[in-house]
Amino acid sequence: MFVERGAGALYAGSGAFLNSQRERVVALAARHRLPAIYALREFVAAGGPMSYAPSITEAHRQIGVYAGRILKGEKPANLPVMQSTKFEFLINLKTAKALGLDVPPTLLIRTDEVIE
């Protein structure tokens, strides 16, 4: 449907349903040779070309800090809302090449992880 309407690329956000169907989403994008970027690293592991997503490791660290503060007696309602501050950029070179995408060295330098 997106290709028929002239879509030149795909951005897939995060969500329980989309994540549960990641293999299908990645396969459909590949079948239509649609370059895609995903909001979860799991999509790259499933064969997607790239993702830009919050660091799960950093999120777990922040959860630990919050738990520690609560265990020390702070009230959860008094704790500030936190957002991710560290993001990870992943590229799957095998998929990018299969899609005919040239990944410039300047972009590769900026990635946190390259899957070959």
Side-chain angles (χ1 to χ4, degrees):
M1 176 164 98
F2 296 118
V3 175
E4 293 167 358
R5 293 186 179 190
L10 170 70
Y11 168 75
S14 61
F17 177 76
L18 196 58
N19 190 31
S20 72
Q21 300 297 314
R22 67 181 167 266
E23 289 85 9
R24 290 180 80 186
V25 172
V26 168
L28 282 170
R31 184 173 65 195
H32 293 287
R33 300 189 51 78
L34 201 58
I37 186 165
Y38 300 96
L40 295 171
R41 70 180 293 129
E42 290 81 5
F43 283 85
V44 176
M50 66 183 90
S51 70
Y52 186 69
S55 166
I56 298 300
T57 304
E58 180 64 18
H60 288 156
R61 188 194 69 74
Q62 288 178 347
I63 291 168
V65 169
Y66 260 44
R69 290 175 69 177
I70 292 167
L71 291 171
K72 290 178 183 176
E74 288 190 56
K75 294 182 180 182
N78 294 339
L79 294 175
V81 173
M82 295 184 72
Q83 292 183 332
S84 296
T85 57
K86 184 174 185 332
F87 290 79
E88 296 175 331
F89 180 42
L90 284 74
I91 292 181
N92 185 325
L93 279 181
K94 181 180 176 183
T95 303
K97 288 178 183 177
L99 290 171
L101 301 173
D102 292 322
V103 181
T106 53
L107 187 60
L108 285 174
I109 290 171
R110 296 174 187 231
T111 61
D112 295 293
E113 186 176 338
V114 176
I115 297 172
E116 297 190 49

